[in-house]
């Protein structure tokens, strides 16, 4: 474990040093994140401006869901996009050979090699939104802390699904936009799952578990979630992480190196 932590520190310090050579990009990323946030707020405002409300969710509570979704976007832009979207390139260009030869887990290397600071504005804006809505609802500090449990489970689930899709490039080399399908489905998490018709709720809960990414953490923060949902979130995260590892090992059986 200590060895992997040292590698992680080396990976990320090198990546940040390289990214900071283009500091103007951070300003552009912040402006882009702010624009996306304003668009999301405007979309939510269109629902609530006439007094309409999602069943059981007032304006501040819906803001918490949107804030958690923004945090999710920041996590994806910081950790997932710069790493997992490159799996296709590694397979196509043959550079996966060099990764497999390294004396560390190839899944660890592919998942953590680099980091992008351009997702930090989303993390900041999402945290500010959750903090503001929580202040209006007079939430206690332990409610924020308790919601970190299902939120962590949701992040693990999102990573696992993303990695599984990236691993399919072993068979389908030129699927550059496969993860964009997942990102498009995750967009549904900007609203509480009750905002969708019943058939969509089933889909976003049991097929693509979007509800576990944003709605369940928000419900825990608001002291609404029942234990079966929290337990289900944890079991889903563990199961998907285990499946992603097993699926990667299975996919490598079909990988033919660039030199073969």
């Amino acid at each position: 474990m200590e060895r992997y932590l040292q590698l992680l520190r080396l990976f990320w310090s090198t990546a940040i040093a390289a990214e900071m050579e283009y500091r103007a990009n951070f300003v552009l990323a912040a402006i882009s994140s702010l624009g996306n946030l304003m668009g999301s707020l405007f979309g939510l405002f269109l629902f609530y401006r006439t007094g309409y409300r999602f069943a059981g969710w007032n304006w501040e509570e819906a803001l918490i869901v949107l804030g958690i979704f923004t945090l999710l976007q920041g996590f994806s832009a910081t950790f997932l996009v710069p790493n997992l979207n490159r799996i296709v390139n590694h397979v196509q260009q043959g550079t996966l050979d060099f990764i497999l030869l390294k004396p560390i887990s190839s899944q660890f290397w592919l998942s953590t090699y680099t980091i992008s600071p351009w997702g930090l504005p989303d993390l900041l804006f999402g945290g500010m939104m959750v903090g503001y809505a929580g202040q209006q609802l007079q939430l206690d500090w332990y409610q924020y802390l308790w919601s970190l449990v299902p939120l962590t489970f949701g992040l693990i689930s999102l990573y696992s699904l993303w990695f599984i899709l990236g691993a399919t490039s072993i068979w389908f080399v030129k699927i550059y936009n496969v993860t964009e399908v997942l990102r498009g489905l995750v967009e549904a998490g900007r609203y509480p799952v009750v905002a969708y018709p019943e058939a969509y709720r089933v889909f976003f809960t049991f097929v693509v578990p979007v509800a576990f990414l944003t709605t369940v953490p928000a419900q825990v923060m608001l002291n609404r979630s029942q234990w079966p949902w929290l337990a289900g979130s944890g079991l889903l995260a563990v199961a998907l992480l285990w499946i992603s590892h097993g699926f990667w090992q299975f996919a490598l059986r079909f990988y033919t190196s660039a030199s073969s």
Side-chain angles (χ1 to χ4, degrees):
M1 178 62 70
E2 183 179 354
R3 179 190 177 201
Y4 277 88
L5 289 175
Q6 291 176 348
L7 285 172
L8 198 62
R9 182 176 59 184
L10 178 62
F11 287 164
W12 288 0
S13 61
T14 303
I16 292 175
E19 293 287 354
M20 284 296 100
E21 294 181 3
Y22 309 95
R23 297 177 185 178
N25 288 351
F26 185 80
V27 178
L28 295 176
I31 295 174
S32 176
S33 297
L34 184 59
N36 290 334
L37 179 61
M38 297 303 294
S40 298
L41 285 172
F42 179 71
L44 188 63
F45 170 74
L46 291 179
F47 286 103
Y48 281 85
R49 66 185 178 88
T50 59
Y52 171 84
R53 54 187 287 175
F54 300 134
W57 295 82
N58 61 29
W59 168 254
E60 288 79 12
E61 293 166 345
L63 277 182
I64 288 180
V65 177
L66 183 56
I68 293 176
F69 171 78
T70 306
L71 288 172
L72 204 68
Q73 280 189 316
F75 172 80
S76 300
T78 303
F79 299 101
L80 302 186
V81 172
N83 286 296
L84 303 188
N85 279 9
R86 295 182 179 179
I87 296 178
V88 177
N89 290 333
H90 287 307
V91 173
Q92 185 180 35
Q93 299 172 9
T95 52
L96 183 60
D97 295 8
F98 304 106
I99 299 172
L100 296 176
L101 290 173
K102 298 182 186 299
I104 61 173
S105 167
S106 57
Q107 183 171 355
F108 175 83
W109 197 100
L110 290 168
S111 303
T112 64
Y113 180 70
T114 189
I115 188 174
S116 174
W118 316 137
L120 296 181
D122 277 333
L123 292 173
L124 176 62
F125 295 147
M128 291 173 60
M129 192 184 309
V130 171
Y132 168 78
Q135 185 179 31
Q136 298 299 309
L137 294 168
Q138 299 181 340
L139 300 183
D140 292 320
W141 63 270
Y142 65 85
Q143 292 177 264
Y144 295 105
L145 191 62
W146 185 236
S147 68
L148 292 178
V149 176
L151 180 59
T152 301
F153 290 150
L155 295 178
I156 294 173
S157 297
L158 179 61
Y159 156 76
S160 301
L161 289 171
W162 205 310
F163 189 85
I164 290 171
L165 288 177
T168 60
S169 61
I170 296 291
W171 294 279
F172 313 105
V173 179
K174 297 183 179 180
I175 51 172
Y176 293 101
N177 295 324
V178 64
T179 55
E180 294 302 318
V181 176
L182 178 61
R183 292 180 69 180
L185 291 172
V186 171
E187 287 286 327
R190 68 176 67 245
Y191 304 123
V193 72
V194 296
Y196 302 98
E198 186 173 352
Y200 288 92
R201 295 180 205 174
V202 173
F203 179 81
F204 288 132
T205 303
F206 300 105
V207 181
V208 180
V210 174
F212 290 100
L213 301 181
T214 57
T215 300
V216 172
Q219 288 175 328
V220 170
M221 186 181 297
L222 297 169
N223 287 330
R224 290 185 183 175
S225 182
Q226 299 177 346
W227 279 103
W229 285 102
L230 186 58
S233 180
L235 290 174
L236 178 68
V238 172
L240 286 176
L241 187 61
W242 180 77
I243 290 172
S244 71
H245 178 72
F247 186 76
W248 177 244
Q249 297 301 316
F250 173 76
L252 288 178
R253 298 179 186 177
F254 298 87
Y255 175 67
T256 54
S257 68
S259 59
S260 64

